Amino acid sequence: AQKITQTQPGMFVQEKEAVTLDCTYDTSDPSYGLFWYKQPSSGEMIFLIYQGSYDQQNATEGRYSLNFQKARKSANLVISASQLGDSAMYFCAMSLHTGKLIFGQGTTLQVKP
Amino acid sequence: DTAVSQTPKYLVTQMGNDKSIKCEQNLGHDTMYWYKQDSKKFLKIMFSYNNKELIINETVPNRFSPKSPDKAHLNLHINSLELGDSAVYFCASSQAIADQETQYFGPGTRLLVL
């Protein structure tokens, strides 16, 4: 069964520090995509970063990087130099060949000043 | 310049009513989706369309009927609204159907059924 698991319902981080949000996935498909989305309190879903199952290198986008460990089936999001505006809910998602996105339960991140 | 737009943003209605939510994308994408986010923030796909053709139809009550008049539009009509339909409905689009295609989401429509 295809599944995404985010085990941290809530996380705190001090401003300017780095934080890792955990995500594990389960699929038997050889080809899949892994995504992270940010949902601030205003409610919109903002795409952050993508990692393909065949990508050899970890994806990076500015302060976001994805720590992809295929053997462990994990795709953790690392946010460096946290800012107050990073406070939001973060969703890990997996895409299959049908285009269907399967989401995790989400992690609420609060950045402390 | 909005990439994926939805109307209305908020919808408050009585049980038993019929309502529609409209979605438009100006990204030139071929594929569009509807997702439902429940009160616990869990997101689940409802439908997807590729070039106006229905591709994914999850186990959604047939009171929900999507319609895609063209590639840039995907509307969602809901008949006989129930209390449990209260949720945030997101439209999304991607260039094509594939696991590596990023889906871009609209702002969401917050539906409250009284």
Side-chain angles (χ1 to χ4, degrees):
Chain A
Q2 285 107 357
K3 193 178 177 184
I4 289 276
T5 303
Q6 294 178 253
T7 56
Q8 307 153 314
M11 291 278 287
F12 287 94
V13 66
Q14 205 67 36
E15 197 178 4
K16 298 180 186 175
E17 290 185 353
V19 63
T20 297
L21 306 184
D22 294 342
C23 173
T24 57
Y25 62 92
D26 190 16
T27 182
S28 54
D29 286 8
S31 181
Y32 50 88
L34 295 160
F35 299 82
W36 278 91
Y37 287 85
K38 172 183 178 182
Q39 187 174 40
S41 57
S42 50
E44 68 268 34
M45 293 287 290
I46 302 166
F47 163 69
L48 295 178
I49 196 167
Y50 159 79
Q51 178 87 43
S53 57
Y54 293 117
D55 293 344
Q56 297 294 316
Q57 296 200 334
N58 287 341
T60 60
E61 286 286 349
R63 295 186 298 110
Y64 304 109
S65 59
L66 202 153
N67 185 358
F68 180 44
Q69 298 191 37
K70 198 168 182 176
R72 293 186 179 183
K73 293 192 172 179
S74 74
N76 299 338
L77 177 70
V78 180
I79 305 174
S80 63
S82 296
Q83 300 172 357
L84 295 177
D86 294 334
S87 294
M89 195 151 188
Y90 289 81
F91 290 94
C92 180
M94 176 171 63
S95 180
L96 307 173
H97 67 279
T98 58
K100 176 179 174 178
L101 262 184
I102 298 168
F103 285 87
Q105 310 93 312
T107 296
T108 300
L109 176 67
Q110 290 197 22
V111 180
K112 294 180 177 178
Chain B
D1 284 289
T2 305
V4 183
S5 59
Q6 293 179 230
T7 51
K9 194 166 182 184
Y10 299 96
L11 193 48
V12 182
T13 188
Q14 299 288 329
M15 225 169 33
N17 284 350
D18 302 339
K19 289 292 177 188
S20 291
I21 306 172
K22 294 186 176 183
C23 178
E24 177 181 0
Q25 55 94 4
N26 62 7
L27 296 167
H29 287 169
D30 286 346
T31 311
M32 296 183 73
Y33 311 81
W34 279 110
Y35 288 87
K36 179 181 180 180
Q37 185 173 40
D38 64 22
S39 58
K40 294 183 179 177
K41 300 286 191 178
F42 185 66
L43 277 146
K44 191 173 178 192
I45 191 166
M46 299 173 71
F47 303 102
S48 75
Y49 269 76
N50 186 61
N51 274 323
K52 303 192 296 174
E53 182 185 343
L54 180 66
I55 302 298
I56 293 174
N57 184 352
E58 289 287 290
T59 49
V60 176
N62 56 17
R63 297 182 295 104
F64 290 79
S65 51
K67 278 198 172 55
S68 182
D70 55 57
K71 276 192 341 180
H73 296 84
L74 180 61
N75 304 324
L76 183 65
H77 188 76
I78 316 170
N79 288 327
S80 303
L81 277 155
E82 299 178 358
L83 295 177
D85 298 333
S86 295
V88 180
Y89 293 85
F90 285 100
C91 177
S93 74
S94 63
Q95 183 63 60
I97 299 175
D99 48 63
Q100 71 266 33
E101 294 293 337
T102 299
Q103 294 183 28
Y104 296 93
F105 283 73
T109 294
R110 284 139 191 87
L111 171 66
L112 179 59
V113 182
L114 302 174

